[in-house]
Amino acid sequence: MLDDPQTIRHYQRLTDALSDFQSRGYRYDELRMYLNGYMAALRNAYALDSYLVNRLEEQANRFLLDMVAGNAPEVQPEPERGY
């Protein structure tokens, strides 16, 4: 389980995007490519420690496989804030 706040935020952004792309009709290969690109960007930007990036990647891969198999939990989008 992820416990670092910044890692959790990346996980939420990533899973929200994957869910959104799947609902728009993107295939597994395209979702996998997006996930790989996101992880590569995190690694190249040194945004997180490498250990945290690896943990995030494991969790995101598990989410993607569950999502494609139809076992993913329903992702709740954040409510819009009126300014």
Side-chain angles (χ1 to χ4, degrees):
M1 187 50 95
L2 302 173
D3 53 4
D4 176 62
Q6 191 173 12
T7 307
I8 292 169
R9 280 192 291 270
H10 281 291
Y11 178 79
Q12 290 171 335
R13 286 183 197 140
L14 184 56
T15 56
D16 288 347
L18 289 171
S19 296
D20 183 48
F21 290 148
Q22 185 190 36
S23 70
R24 292 182 186 187
Y26 285 81
R27 297 184 321 257
Y28 172 76
D29 294 341
E30 295 165 321
L31 298 174
R32 168 62 68 188
M33 192 180 318
Y34 178 82
L35 174 60
N36 290 342
Y38 192 97
M39 300 313 298
L42 280 179
R43 284 189 178 94
N44 289 329
Y46 300 104
L48 298 172
D49 291 336
S50 60
Y51 171 74
L52 294 174
V53 174
N54 289 337
R55 296 274 316 268
L56 174 61
E57 186 172 24
E58 290 172 7
Q59 294 293 322
N61 280 327
R62 184 174 299 132
F63 177 85
L64 180 59
L65 291 174
D66 287 347
M67 184 176 66
V68 170
N71 300 329
E74 189 68 30
V75 177
Q76 297 290 329
E78 291 186 28
E80 293 184 23
R81 297 181 197 150
Y83 292 102

